[in-house]
Structures are given as structure tokens and as C-alpha cells.
Amino acid sequence: MRVTLRDVADDVGVSVATVSRVLTGKSSGRVRPEVAADIRQAAARMGYRSNALARGLRLQETRILGFISDVIATGARGGQILLGAQDAARRYGYTLLTVNTGDDPDVEAHHLDALASYRVDGYLYASMFNRPLALPSRLETLPTVIVDATSPTQSTPSVSPDEKAIGRLGARELLRAGARRILYVSTPAPIVARAARLDGFFAEIRGTTADVEVRVLEIAESISHARGPLVEALKSDVDGVFCFNDLRAAMVYQASTAAERVIGHDLAVISVDRTEMLQQVLYPNLSSIALPHYQMGYWGCTKLITSLLGNSLDLDDPSLTDLPACALSHALLAPGEPVDGASCILTK
Amino acid sequence: MRVTLRDVADDVGVSVATVSRVLTGKSSGRVRPEVAADIRQAAARMGYRSNALARGLRLQETRILGFISDVIATGARGGQILLGAQDAARRYGYTLLTVNTGDDPDVEAHHLDALASYRVDGYLYASMFNRPLALPSRLETLPTVIVDATSPTQSTPSVSPDEKAIGRLGARELLRAGARRILYVSTPAPIVARAARLDGFFAEIRGTTADVEVRVLEIAESISHARGPLVEALKSDVDGVFCFNDLRAAMVYQASTAAERVIGHDLAVISVDRTEMLQQVLYPNLSSIALPHYQMGYWGCTKLITSLLGNSLDLDDPSLTDLPACALSHALLAPGEPVDGASCILTK
DNA sequence: CTGAAAGCGCTTACAG
DNA sequence: CTGAAAGCGCTTACAG
């Protein structure tokens, strides 16, 4: 039913070998140009589409990559990683077999079986947030790149956001906006980003000559618990707030009303995540440092493919070397001005 | 390098035919039980994993399904469709080849080529929001199910939310909470959901004996434009608000502060979408009707697979017949009480 | 109960 | 410049 090499060969009156040579671009100097043209034309006319299974079987190379994520493709951020990876894959003629484990080892095992069955050439292992992430042992010996996480043993290449740079950047923006008594709204969760952003933040503060006071407040993700402490903290003479993420920034917005502090006037606020929905909803617009999810996906996939092909990354390609931790922003702090970039951490 | 049927056969001392029979479950009464046991054991010991490419080539059936979406897998809601589809696929031994078109015809064409190359058995075509959606012509003759959209020509099976039921449900909840002067905050976008939810809403209102007044206000998605009209509207004697979606609900929350109306006290609010992030951020917790994304994905994928297998849907399976347009909810209107369900619209 | 053989659709070394 | 042939790893009708 589907048209095959054989069909095209019969139509033109040549052998399948010749058709194959022409259609895989191995014909220059090896097939008469007129014949090649005929073949290409017939293939197009007949709607020939090479069978990737047969090709994969023969070549022991499928050009399929397994994209494994915990619960990532579910959230908006994870979607961006997937998109970036997909764009990179497309560019090199690869396709992604996506799979979600829901952080369930049984589900993961099932999916790893499936991916192995389809003989994917390599794996992208994506995490829903930056953390040390041990690869399932079955993947340890296979071509794999970790995205938005790091290998605890450094044995696998990975891309993750430069959390310290994010902290630095946030501090810089608040200082630039004139803030001197800063509230740093953090998370109680012991994740990589908590410590690293705080480090970067203080590193930047120490580097300034201004007299700055910082208070760190950790709040949970539930507004009902966070509200009280936040209102309390905002009632003091705070003039700048660094928010660990947009969720907390949204809480700060709510609390600021109760504390009768006007954001953009009494208070400068900077946050991290650039959540689209909150961008549309918060007033005045939230200044937020974007995490480079798309870029990490793109970089991770390119890294994987080039290593599969035995090449190294093309460092002249700006999409590979220019990995900002943030791009444009509604700049509440200095309206109209975009917030600067900070880079990713690439291993190997 | 990879272990094959041949390897297992040699190890046990039988032919590949016999091994194949045992491993595909076609051995009962056709292979001696002891031999079968030996084979299974050897296969497990050697870590044999059947080659899906060879199988697909031989059987002309790959058990791969193409999951095509516009920009859907990028958002949180789209992720849920994908998850549901993935769970259904896994249950039947299928795997998903996911592809994002970004609403770009060239990208779509490229991906359709790729999916055709891999000889996927069928297609799931998912939309980022409920709309009439014409299938690319190449898919028209292939097994396809549309998810979160409807075929304008009714020629392709589809699942989409029962928007009217959502409108009805919202009205019912507001009435139950005692609201009598209702503000219906809609969207100016001419999409299916706008008209259908409004229809359902008014149908429900007309069915009540209470004396209810409704005012419809359409606002765009930008807080800076919406704020003025919303504050204005809320300053009147409104006692209930139906929000077209959570984004608008968040705007209503903001505006209510400026209008000095207290949500949960002066105002009952019901919304649609159940956006997780906003659930965590809005105070008091937002009552929001969830859209059945996971269920639509699950249903669509099951529908596709059963039609591929020549079966019809198993209507005794509750996960297929019980498709609520909403599930649990923080019920601001009547704290603690979950909001009822409303079903999906399934075609064919 | 079991095996030899054909064939799914490709690619490429080999021969001419 | 071109073709016949082998082989990737399976499954299954056919023969025994």
C-alpha cells in the first residue's frame, strides 16, 4: 500500500540500489545525472517516503532520541525544555520519543523498556527542577544528557541554570533601583537553587559600597501560611524584595496591599521564573528573571546529537554559546529596560 | 551487541522460530512447556529486549502513535492531555511520538513527514484550546482522533469539554451561594467557549425562580487594560462573579481590593481552569471548575487504539465513561464542598 | 511440538 | 555508472 523503493525503481526502470543511492544523496559521480533526476522526480510524484524502520534496522541507527522527564512536560517550564529539544532534533533530522515517568520507578522502567525496544540512539533526561539527579543505572552506559539537573557523580553531561548568576542579577537590579533594605523571600525547600541564589545574591551585595541591609524570610508555597509573615515583614521599612520565584512574588503582591505598601513606588520587586500567566495578571507588571528552559533543551539535545555523530559542539553557533538565564522582562524596577542575561552551567 | 532472538535461541539450543513463539505468547499447546520455561528464563537472564523496528517492519504495525499538537505541550493544560494519552497508550503497549508544530505549517509538514517515516499506526491531533479544527489533508484518510477541538466537518472523532455544562455549573454554584446580581466576566475572543459557556450560564439562570440580574463584561487578557472596567463594575452592588477563566479571576481578585469588596464575604467568585499556580497564590482560595484535559487525552488515545484494533470502546470502563468537566475544587462558595462534575462532548 | 524459509524495506560492499 | 546479493531482527505459513 505504502510506496517503497521497489515501486520507484520499477517505475523508473532501475534497481532499488540505484534509487537508494540517489535518495540518500550518495549518487554524485556514481549515478548518471539524468537517471538521478528521473528518480527524484518519480519519488516525489509517487509520494515516496522512506521507511525509517527499515532504515533503522539496516543501519543500526534510528535517529530517534528518548526524551524522559519526571513530571516536567506537564508544566509550562518543562514544555519549553521539550520545545527546545524538539527544535534542535528537527534541525539534525532526529525525532523525539517523549515519555513521562511521573516520578514512579515502575512507570519509568516500563518506558525505558519501550525506548530500548525502539532502539533510540540516545537519551535526554530532563528534571522538573534543578537538582542532583542520579541516572537510572540502565542509562549510565548509554549516550545521555541531563537537562535542568546535574549528575551527582559528574559522569553524565548536563545543562542547568546558573543559579548564582540569577542571585547576583537580582541583587544588582534591586540595587540599581535604589533598594537598600532588602527582603529576600526564599523557600524552605533544601534545593540547589535556594542556596545558590542566596550565595550569588550576597556576593553581589558584598561587592557594593552602599550600605545595604538584608533580611531573609523563608515561606512555604501556600498563601494561607505565607500571608501573615509576609504582611508583617512588608510593614517594616523594606524598600526592595527579591523573590525566589514568581509564585512567591504573587504572594508578595497580595501581602503588599494588606501592608499598605505600593509596589513600584514604595517597593521594588524582582523575581525569578517569568511565568507567563502571572505576567499577565500582576499589576504593576512583575520584573522577573526567566529561566533558560528552551535553551537548555536546545543545548542538551544538540550536545547529545553531536556526541552521537562523533562531532563536538559547533562553538560558532550563537544558539549554543549564548545561553542567557534570562531574556526580556517587564522591567518594573526601571520601566522599559530589559533585565540582563546570566548564563547556564554546562558540564563537559 | 544487543541481544537478539538468535542469541537466545543459540543459548537454549532451539530455533529462533520457537523463541519467537514463546516470547510473543503464541506458545500454548505449540511448544513444550519445559522448553518454553527455559526460553523465558534465558531471555530474562540475557536481558533480551525485542527489537520493535524489526517487529514493526515485519508486521506492518509499529504500536507507535503520533501525538501532534500546536503549542499545547508547552502549557500546563496541554501537558495534562499528553499525560492522559500517555497513560492510555502505555496500558495498551503503545508509545507516543510527540511533536509540536508551533502552529507553523512548515514545521507541521516536517513533523508529519517524520511521523509517516516511522510508520506510526495512528494520530492524536491536539489543540491548545477548544475550537473547530481542520485536519491537515494528509491526515484525513488516516486513523486520527482530535483532542480538545472538534472537526468542522464531523469527519473525525473528537473529544472536547462540554462548555455549556461548564456555564451551567458555574451559574448553579453562584446561585447556591446566594448570588443574585451577577457579573459575568467574559473574553472578547470569538472562541467556542465564549458563546457556549454563556449559553449554559443563561440556560441555568432562566431555569431558576429567583430574581437574578446578570451583567456581562468582556475584558482582554492584559491587566492594565482590564483593571479600570473591572474596578468600576465591582464597585456596584454585584454579589457574584463568573469568570471565564482563572486569568480573569486573578484580575477580579486584584480589582476587588481596589473596589473595596471582599471576596468570600461580599462577593462569590467562580472560575474555570483550575490553574495550579493560581490556586496556590490567590487568597481566599479560588473556586474553579477544572477542564478535563487528562481525561480527554486518555479518552482520545483509547478511542484511537481501540479503533486501530478493530474494537469498540469498553463502555464498562469507568475511566472512559466518567469524564467530568471538573473534579475537586476548593469551594470558596461553600467551603469544603467539592464542585460537581459536567461531562465532555464525545463525537462518534 | 519444532524448524527452515520467506519476506517486511532498506543500504552498501562487491562485482562488473 | 549500475545491479545482484546479503543482511539488519523479527514473525508466521508451511512442512514435517
Side-chain angles (χ1 to χ4, degrees):
Chain A
M1 33 149 275
R2 267 251 164 229
V3 18
T4 71
L5 269 193
R6 169 90 272 146
D7 299 327
V8 178
D10 288 351
D11 186 85
V12 182
V14 294
S15 73
V16 292
T18 303
V19 178
S20 173
R21 284 188 193 105
V22 171
L23 265 26
T24 51
K26 301 196 175 61
S27 60
S28 80
R30 307 170 85 315
V31 176
R32 214 161 7 119
E34 309 88 82
V35 177
D38 279 2
I39 290 174
R40 268 187 269 272
Q41 201 187 310
R45 175 167 42 78
M46 302 171 74
Y48 172 74
R49 202 91 50 189
S50 127
N51 184 323
L53 284 87
R55 183 190 168 283
L57 186 58
R58 177 62 236 245
L59 258 33
Q60 304 283 62
E61 181 219 52
T62 54
R63 305 227 176 137
I64 305 182
L65 267 21
F67 184 96
I68 305 163
S69 57
D70 34 31
V71 290
I72 200 188
T74 315
R77 22 174 50 226
Q80 288 302 113
I81 297 184
L82 181 57
L83 258 194
Q86 213 147 75
D87 284 352
R90 182 158 52 89
R91 180 166 163 192
Y92 290 94
Y94 281 73
T95 303
L96 260 36
L97 212 42
T98 356
V99 128
N100 262 79
T101 66
D103 251 337
D104 175 336
D106 290 342
V107 175
E108 175 167 284
H110 170 95
H111 284 310
L112 287 179
D113 273 348
L115 295 178
S117 269
Y118 289 108
R119 301 294 189 266
V120 300
D121 293 335
Y123 298 85
L124 250 14
Y125 200 77
S127 160
M128 97 186 266
F129 65 96
N130 187 3
R131 54 176 166 166
L133 186 59
L135 232 42
S137 58
R138 294 167 54 181
L139 292 187
E140 272 165 7
T141 55
L142 303 172
T144 305
V145 172
I146 295 178
V147 181
D148 199 13
T150 47
S151 159
T153 61
Q154 307 284 5
S155 49
T156 309
S158 64
V159 217
S160 53
D162 185 344
E163 306 287 2
K164 262 186 100 158
I166 292 171
R168 275 186 178 284
L169 180 58
R172 202 177 312 142
E173 293 296 326
L174 286 175
L175 293 173
R176 199 154 67 89
R180 293 296 178 268
R181 337 195 82 71
I182 301 178
L183 176 66
Y184 187 106
V185 179
S186 188
T187 172
I191 57 182
V192 173
R194 180 175 75 157
R197 289 181 195 167
L198 202 60
D199 274 7
F201 183 86
F202 278 112
E204 188 70 24
I205 296 289
R206 277 194 304 273
T208 180
T209 53
D211 185 17
V212 182
E213 218 170 82
V214 178
R215 174 175 167 208
V216 178
L217 178 66
E218 290 180 353
I219 61 175
E221 306 219 323
S222 143
I223 181 73
S224 34
H225 293 106
R227 198 179 158 77
L230 268 181
V231 172
E232 182 67 32
L234 290 174
K235 273 184 177 150
S236 67
D237 58 351
V238 162
D239 58 6
V241 184
F242 178 100
C243 302
F244 179 77
N245 58 14
D246 287 352
L247 199 153
R248 287 175 173 77
M251 294 176 175
V252 166
Y253 269 61
Q254 298 230 350
S256 71
T257 313
E260 298 185 318
R261 308 295 308 277
V262 180
I263 291 174
H265 185 75
D266 310 327
L267 281 180
V269 177
I270 185 96
S271 172
V272 184
D273 264 359
R274 196 82 55 85
T275 312
E276 205 202 335
M277 165 157 286
L278 291 181
Q279 291 287 323
Q280 293 179 100
V281 148
L282 293 178
Y283 185 85
N285 285 156
L286 176 64
S287 291
S288 185
I289 301 169
L291 257 20
H293 286 109
Y294 178 92
Q295 290 90 340
M296 291 193 290
Y298 194 96
W299 187 92
C301 190
T302 305
K303 169 79 180 170
L304 178 59
I305 292 172
T306 50
S307 76
L308 287 172
L309 299 178
N311 302 328
S312 48
L313 286 175
D314 173 10
L315 296 178
D316 287 338
D317 180 349
S319 54
L320 291 178
T321 48
D322 188 21
L323 287 179
C326 65
L328 297 172
S329 165
H330 295 272
L332 164 67
L333 303 172
E337 268 185 71
V339 172
D340 271 358
S343 30
C344 293
I345 295 178
L346 317 176
T347 70
K348 308 208 179 175
Chain B
M1 31 148 277
R2 266 253 166 226
V3 20
T4 70
L5 269 194
R6 170 92 269 146
D7 299 326
V8 178
D10 288 351
D11 186 85
V12 181
V14 293
S15 73
V16 291
T18 302
V19 178
S20 172
R21 284 188 193 105
V22 171
L23 265 25
T24 52
K26 299 200 177 58
S27 61
S28 80
R30 308 170 85 317
V31 176
R32 214 158 11 116
E34 309 87 80
V35 177
D38 280 3
I39 291 174
R40 267 188 270 270
Q41 201 188 310
R45 173 166 44 76
M46 302 170 73
Y48 171 74
R49 203 89 53 189
S50 130
N51 183 323
L53 282 85
R55 183 191 169 282
L57 185 58
R58 175 64 235 243
L59 259 32
Q60 304 285 59
E61 182 220 50
T62 53
R63 304 228 178 137
I64 305 182
L65 266 20
F67 184 97
I68 305 162
S69 57
D70 33 32
V71 290
I72 201 188
T74 315
R77 22 175 49 225
Q80 288 301 113
I81 297 184
L82 181 57
L83 258 195
Q86 212 148 75
D87 284 352
R90 182 158 51 89
R91 181 168 162 192
Y92 291 94
Y94 281 74
T95 304
L96 260 36
L97 212 42
T98 355
V99 128
N100 261 78
T101 66
D103 251 338
D104 175 336
D106 289 343
V107 175
E108 175 168 283
H110 171 94
H111 284 310
L112 287 179
D113 273 348
L115 295 178
S117 270
Y118 289 108
R119 300 295 190 264
V120 300
D121 293 336
Y123 298 86
L124 250 16
Y125 200 77
S127 161
M128 94 186 266
F129 66 95
N130 187 3
R131 55 175 165 166
L133 186 59
L135 232 44
S137 58
R138 294 166 54 181
L139 292 186
E140 271 165 8
T141 54
L142 303 172
T144 305
V145 173
I146 296 178
V147 181
D148 200 13
T150 47
S151 159
T153 61
Q154 308 285 3
S155 49
T156 309
S158 64
V159 219
S160 53
D162 185 343
E163 306 287 1
K164 264 188 96 159
I166 292 171
R168 276 186 178 284
L169 180 58
R172 201 178 311 142
E173 293 296 328
L174 287 175
L175 293 173
R176 197 153 68 89
R180 292 299 177 265
R181 335 194 82 72
I182 301 178
L183 176 66
Y184 186 107
V185 180
S186 188
T187 171
I191 57 181
V192 173
R194 180 176 74 159
R197 289 180 194 168
L198 202 60
D199 275 7
F201 183 85
F202 277 114
E204 189 71 23
I205 297 289
R206 276 194 305 273
T208 180
T209 54
D211 185 18
V212 183
E213 218 170 82
V214 178
R215 174 175 167 206
V216 178
L217 178 66
E218 290 179 353
I219 61 174
E221 307 218 323
S222 142
I223 182 71
S224 34
H225 292 106
R227 198 178 158 78
L230 268 180
V231 172
E232 181 66 32
L234 290 173
K235 273 185 178 150
S236 67
D237 57 353
V238 162
D239 57 7
V241 185
F242 178 101
C243 301
F244 179 77
N245 58 15
D246 287 351
L247 198 155
R248 287 174 174 80
M251 294 175 174
V252 166
Y253 269 61
Q254 299 231 349
S256 71
T257 313
E260 299 185 316
R261 308 296 308 275
V262 180
I263 291 174
H265 185 74
D266 309 327
L267 281 180
V269 176
I270 185 95
S271 173
V272 184
D273 265 358
R274 195 83 57 83
T275 311
E276 205 203 335
M277 165 158 284
L278 292 182
Q279 290 287 324
Q280 292 180 100
V281 148
L282 294 178
Y283 185 84
N285 283 157
L286 176 63
S287 292
S288 185
I289 301 171
L291 256 21
H293 287 110
Y294 179 91
Q295 290 90 340
M296 291 193 291
Y298 193 96
W299 187 92
C301 190
T302 306
K303 170 78 181 170
L304 178 60
I305 293 172
T306 50
S307 76
L308 287 173
L309 300 178
N311 302 328
S312 47
L313 287 176
D314 173 10
L315 295 179
D316 288 339
D317 180 348
S319 55
L320 291 179
T321 50
D322 189 20
L323 288 177
C326 64
L328 297 172
S329 163
H330 294 273
L332 163 67
L333 304 173
E337 269 184 69
V339 171
D340 272 358
S343 29
C344 293
I345 295 178
L346 318 175
T347 70
K348 307 207 180 175

